[in-house]
Amino acid sequence: MLLFATGPYARFIDMRRIVVAGHSYGANTALLTVGARVIRDGRWLDFRDRRFKAAIVISAPPFYGESDLSSVLANIAVPTLHVTATQDVIKIPGFYSSARDRVAIFDAIANRRKLLVMFRGGSHSIFTDRALTGGPGLNPKVKEATGELTLAFLDYAFAGDSRSLAQWSSDWQDILAQPTIRNAMLISGASARADLQDNVPAPPAEKGRAMTDEQRKSYAPLRDGGRRAAAEIDWSASASRR
């Protein structure tokens, strides 16, 4: 698709801003594409494709069989958006995975350019084309919200523009749950609790805490024009960035 000589779509693609996205095992694939690696037969396997500059990770299972998640995800250096729900549970015989595992993936990524959003309720399949999973009322809302979130995240990842994320947080706060992550860095809101309670949304926290100067310096897009808008995001109700 990217070859001008043979790909009819190449001229429509900005090769500087190609994003990989996936759900469930597709989310694992997306992570592998941007730098995650696994051990097989005693050696690391690396599938990174450096043409991808960001990743959207929806309901990622744990990397089954890997004992050191931090090492698996250590080489990810692009912005990542992680999307899940408080009832995002995988119930496959031999491969049970709780909502806690989605947060563990987010938490294990060392790169600070990452964002976690958790919907209240839902299910593992609510992000798929199934129309009723997670509830017939919530299902279409989560799909629409995730689509809008993706565009807002890309504005933030590639342009350092937080205004769309701020608006998104305001528009969808009624279906969002605050993820409780150890050592989470919040732009506003109270400090996170020590652990995630499976399927139990955290209570809303107070708004208004801005990032410290040290935190701003650690995140490049916030050093410029996006800083003011970023401080206005209601992260206490929707998202955390480590």
Side-chain angles (χ1 to χ4, degrees), residues 4-31:
F4 281 92
T6 59
Y9 305 105
R11 68 182 184 275
F12 300 111
I13 299 173
D14 185 344
M15 298 186 194
R16 300 166 301 172
R17 296 187 296 179
I18 301 176
V19 181
V20 59
H23 170 261
S24 196
Y25 276 145
N28 287 158
T29 302
L31 290 169

Side-chain angles (χ1 to χ4, degrees), residues 99-100 120 140 155 195 219:
R100 187 190 303 269
R120 184 169 58 249
D155 285 343
D195 204 356
Y219 191 65

Side-chain angles (χ1 to χ4, degrees), residues 104-150:
I105 292 284
F106 169 83
D107 204 32
I109 293 179
N111 180 23
R112 297 172 70 88
R113 300 185 65 188
K114 59 183 181 178
L115 183 72
L116 172 65
V117 167
M118 180 176 288
F119 293 100
R120 184 169 58 249
S123 69
H124 185 67
S125 297
I126 198 170
F127 303 100
T128 71
D129 58 357
R130 299 175 184 174
L132 299 178
T133 57
L138 183 62
N139 188 294
K141 289 183 180 180
V142 167
K143 287 179 168 61
E144 182 180 357
T146 302
E148 292 184 6
L149 171 65
T150 296

